Amino acid sequence: MKLLAGSSNQDFAHKLAQQLNIQEVACEFTQFPNGELRPRILDSVKGENIILLQSFSEPVHKHIVEFLLLADALERAGARHVNAVIPWLGYSMQDKMFREGEPIAAKVVANLVSNSYVKRAFLFDLHNSSIPGFFSVPTHHLSALEILAEHLKSQNLTDKSQVVIASPDFGGLKRARVFANLVNLDLIHLDKHRDLATGEVKTLGVTQPVDGKTIVIFDDIINGGGTVVESAKFLKEHGAAKVIFIATHGIFANNGREKIANSPVDQVVVSNTIAQPDHAEKIHVLDVSKAFADQLQTWM
Ligand code: R5P
């Protein structure tokens, strides 16, 4: 087994290759003058099982096309089986038609991956647990839950009388409940409204009093950061002592990091499924490559 990393998240790829003790395939990434991508595999992959790793993060279209071109190049170079590792599946939030006339973009992306010579796909903390069914190749839906729960325990945030887990909205309740059970803390939930046209978020209520408590909000994705900012503002206005926001995927679109730095949230914890800068105020990054390594080990 060897690992070929696209250009989206090479640090994650190095960590994964190290844990699996496998070689990384050298690759050059150039473009034609008209902007078309021109990746080229530089090592032999003939007869090899390959892990092809790419996060479909920003620039999303570039990273998706690069992934498809690399899968094609691997097939032409004689790779035996290609296992796709996609720590962040771009377009996965568009898992249904929210408004008439829209596509189901997650299904379109799943079709592209399924038709790309990939044998199976390893996916991570998807927005909707039905998405693996959009693929026509076998999928494995892995999770950061255990690693995030361990992090909370390591920070001594386990005292039931002080710390409460919160879902930022009704849709995330099931996910937050699993997390609350793992860390043995009570669960509350916030009432969030999002304007479907503008994306603007407003937190309108909470199921229980929060005064004096540390509230750990548990979500799957931070996109533009509106949910972090609005829920922290709401909880602090209602007397919460501390607000910590934990999510697997940190996109931080539209200056999300700056908005978070200037918001009342005390700390944000995300994983490295999407490449993160070395330092961002209030943001702590956890490595979750081990979750993939543990699963991939059984396929080597
Ligand atoms: C929504 O259903 C998701 O679970 C997240 O709450 C959402 O993606 C967060 O978006 P933003 O950071 O833009 O508020």
Side-chain angles (χ1 to χ4, degrees), residues 93 127 169 175 192 194 201 219-227:
M93 285 182 280
H127 185 56
D169 48 39
R175 186 184 306 118
K192 177 177 98 178
R194 184 186 295 277
V201 167
D219 208 351
D220 56 341
I221 304 159
I222 295 172
N223 191 1
T227 304

Side-chain angles (χ1 to χ4, degrees), residues 26-213:
C27 186
E28 72 178 18
F29 297 94
T30 57
Q31 290 189 4
F32 287 99
N34 65 357
E36 289 174 12
L37 304 180
R38 195 185 193 190
R40 182 166 173 238
I41 297 167
L42 301 173
D43 290 336
S44 168
V45 292
K46 203 166 175 192
E48 297 275 358
N49 287 333
I50 302 289
I51 293 169
L52 173 57
L53 189 142
Q54 183 81 305
S55 279
F56 293 175
S57 53
E58 282 182 81
V60 182
H61 304 138
K62 175 186 169 197
H63 289 149
I64 292 176
V65 172
E66 190 183 273
F67 170 90
L68 299 171
L69 298 182
L70 287 172
D72 184 83
L74 284 168
E75 175 72 14
R76 289 176 200 286
R80 190 160 164 261
H81 290 320
V82 178
N83 291 312
V85 168
I86 307 172
W88 162 245
L89 185 74
Y91 279 103
S92 52
M93 285 182 280
Q94 294 187 51
D95 56 352
K96 58 176 173 247
M97 279 175 62
F98 292 92
R99 298 178 302 176
E100 210 175 312
E102 291 181 343
I104 301 180
K107 171 75 179 145
V108 174
V109 171
N111 283 343
L112 287 172
V113 173
S114 300
N115 293 322
S116 72
Y117 298 118
V118 155
K119 191 79 180 164
R120 56 182 68 243
F122 294 80
L123 309 163
F124 205 65
D125 276 349
L126 294 164
H127 185 56
N128 173 342
S129 57
S130 305
I131 292 173
F134 292 179
F135 289 76
S136 56
V137 292
T139 50
H140 302 265
H141 188 184
L142 316 182
S143 176
L145 267 177
E146 300 277 349
I147 294 173
L148 299 174
E150 281 314 312
H151 172 75
L152 209 64
K153 289 177 193 164
S154 74
Q155 302 299 299
N156 291 324
L157 289 165
T158 49
D159 179 353
K160 253 188 163 169
S161 66
Q162 295 297 318
V163 189
V164 180
I165 303 297
S167 170
D169 48 39
F170 189 69
L173 203 47
K174 202 168 145 196
R175 186 184 306 118
R177 182 172 295 127
V178 176
F179 188 69
N181 287 342
L182 256 183
V183 291
N184 196 26
L185 290 171
D186 291 332
L187 176 69
I188 59 171
H189 80 86
L190 299 163
D191 181 11
K192 177 177 98 178
H193 173 75
R194 184 186 295 277
D195 183 312
L196 284 183
T198 63
E200 221 166 272
V201 167
K202 193 89 199 136
T203 299
L204 304 167
V206 63
T207 48
Q208 274 171 46
V210 294
D211 31 326
K213 298 273 167 94

